[in-house]
Amino acid sequence: MVCSMDEGAEHHHGYIHRKDDYLKRLKRIEGQARGLQRMVESEQYCIDILTQVSAMTSALRSVSLGLLEEHMSHCVVEAARAGGPEADVKVKEASDAIARLVRS
């Protein structure tokens, strides 16, 4: 799998073999977001809304962690094998992504 950032290079991301799974999950999350909007519009009980926000947050976290694992096991490993500055870039990208997830 190619995870290169080179101009003109063919891009194949580590998650591509699970693309349909990710799209299904994201569509469910999109439905959850619409459901939350309806709950607020119809002035549902705060705790019920917060429960649904928590479920949506958990679903997004699951997608994030799956994508991060795919990135680490494919793109970062591939770049590390090749060595050079690309390896440093991929490790920095992964570290930055982890930091963003931890802060969120």
Side-chain angles (χ1 to χ4, degrees):
M1 293 190 181
V2 177
C3 296
S4 176
M5 295 186 311
D6 296 337
E7 297 246 350
E10 186 177 345
H11 297 299
H12 294 286
H13 303 287
Y15 67 85
I16 201 72
H17 68 283
R18 294 186 55 206
K19 179 181 173 181
D20 289 340
D21 293 336
Y22 284 115
L23 287 172
K24 285 177 193 172
R25 292 167 101 184
L26 289 167
K27 286 176 184 179
R28 279 196 305 266
I29 293 167
E30 181 182 23
Q32 286 178 298
R34 284 192 303 272
L36 281 166
Q37 290 171 349
R38 285 189 300 273
M39 290 178 81
V40 172
E41 285 172 354
S42 64
E43 300 177 6
Q44 297 287 316
Y45 185 54
C46 300
I47 297 302
D48 293 340
I49 296 170
L50 289 169
T51 298
Q52 292 307 310
V53 167
S54 178
M56 189 173 158
T57 301
S58 178
L60 281 169
R61 186 175 300 115
S62 176
V63 169
S64 297
L65 291 174
L67 288 169
L68 179 61
E69 190 278 326
E70 299 284 352
H71 181 69
M72 299 284 291
S73 65
H74 296 283
C75 300
V76 174
V77 167
E78 186 176 298
R81 281 188 189 126
E86 181 75 9
D88 295 336
V89 168
K90 292 296 179 186
V91 169
K92 175 80 168 104
E93 284 177 347
S95 295
D96 291 347
I98 292 167
R100 284 190 303 272
L101 287 172
V102 170
R103 284 192 303 265
S104 64

